[in-house]
Amino acid sequence: MQQPSAGRPDDAEDPGGPVESAIRCRLASSVLGAPLPNGAPAYTGARFERLTGGGDQPEVANHFTPADFIAVAALSVDVPVRAVLRVLEPSGCSPYSCLLSQIPVDLELAAAEERHVAKDSPAWNLWQSLRDIEGIGPIGAGKLLARKRPRLLPVYDSVIKKVFERPSTDLTFWSDVRHSLRADHGILVAHLEDVRGLAGIGEDIGILRILDTAAWFHGRNEHVETRPDGIPAEAPKSAAGSRSRLP
């Protein structure tokens, strides 16, 4: 898995240099949600983690809410109402809440053990359960989990797949990101934290979101086609997608 460069050029005026400065500015505008003249965020994905305080807030951390589906819609994933209702109003005890409650809320992916993201872990099983709902699919399921556990489970879609040169059948994305974050004494984590701090984004936004946003910008700069609203055209309007795109 390719990693963003963790090096930092020496620059007396700007510790990150002009390229890093540009990245920080774009990260800040996208993640912080610099508004348009009418007050709407310029980039709807800016509301993904912070909408209604976040999907991992104590009062909602272990069950899905309508806000979670609005949040994934901000990342260009439109889940059909029938699928939303199946998750929000299951018959009997919710299997989704049961699995969600078994996934640590405050655990950072870099500090996690392999068992937290491995096949047959609660996270994996919840991803599979959501994926199998008609209209959600693998991309929608992954983004719902990233909304509920933003520090543990990274966003994954066609742009991320392209930027990080993932295999067509991708069974190890979560695990590979974990290994990258832990490599070289956590130099990538330190770099992402530096970028977050220098951009003034705030520590309520996890480093996985910084990585995801930086990768998205890189993908766009590499001529990934985008729609007029700035969302990658490769990201499906429907959450349903190829089952080869796995965590």
Side-chain angles (χ1 to χ4, degrees):
M1 175 176 172
Q2 289 190 342
Q3 296 183 12
S5 172
R8 176 189 274 182
D10 292 330
D11 189 314
E13 295 184 1
D14 183 350
V19 174
E20 288 287 310
S21 179
I23 290 174
R24 292 200 305 272
C25 289
R26 298 183 75 181
L27 281 171
S29 65
S30 63
V31 177
L32 289 175
L36 297 171
N38 64 5
Y43 170 53
T44 58
R47 304 300 297 153
F48 177 67
E49 283 200 55
R50 287 176 170 163
L51 183 69
T52 67
D56 57 346
Q57 292 298 297
E59 62 273 19
V60 298
N62 291 327
H63 65 272
F64 289 101
T65 71
D68 296 324
F69 288 91
I70 296 173
V72 298
L75 293 185
S76 197
V77 171
D78 298 327
V79 179
V81 173
R82 190 180 301 276
V84 173
L85 293 177
R86 181 169 172 182
V87 175
L88 298 183
E89 299 179 350
S91 57
C93 180
S94 171
Y96 316 112
S97 295
C98 180
L99 287 168
L100 197 52
S101 67
Q102 298 175 50
I103 306 172
V105 176
D106 297 322
L107 183 62
E108 298 275 355
L109 181 56
E113 298 178 14
E114 183 65 22
R115 63 184 177 86
H116 290 114
V117 294
K119 187 175 181 179
D120 294 327
S121 66
W124 179 280
N125 290 336
L126 179 56
W127 176 83
Q128 284 191 311
S129 295
L130 293 169
R131 179 204 65 183
D132 290 342
I133 297 175
E134 184 177 357
I136 293 183
I139 301 301
K143 291 184 178 181
L144 281 168
L145 264 66
R147 161 75 178 176
K148 303 307 288 185
R149 298 295 184 267
R151 297 181 184 275
L152 179 65
L153 303 174
V155 167
Y156 184 82
D157 58 22
S158 60
V159 176
I160 298 298
K161 183 185 183 80
K162 178 177 181 177
V163 168
F164 292 125
E165 300 180 358
R166 302 298 301 173
S168 57
T169 300
D170 195 354
L171 302 172
T172 61
F173 181 66
W174 293 344
S175 178
D176 289 346
V177 174
R178 172 181 171 271
H179 285 296
S180 293
L181 294 172
R182 293 164 67 94
D184 300 319
H185 306 289
I187 193 170
L188 177 57
V189 171
H191 179 66
L192 293 169
E193 289 174 342
D194 282 350
V195 171
R196 178 179 63 188
L198 291 167
I201 292 171
E203 293 187 5
D204 61 311
I205 300 297
I207 61 169
L208 294 181
R209 186 72 177 124
I210 304 301
L211 178 63
D212 159 46
T213 307
W216 183 82
F217 279 130
H218 178 73
R220 187 170 71 170
N221 290 339
E222 290 294 315
H223 309 295
V224 174
E225 183 182 356
T226 57
R227 303 188 329 219
D229 59 2
I231 301 299
E234 290 186 352
K237 269 198 82 132
S238 168
S242 167
R243 288 176 186 262
S244 66
R245 293 183 246 183
L246 303 177

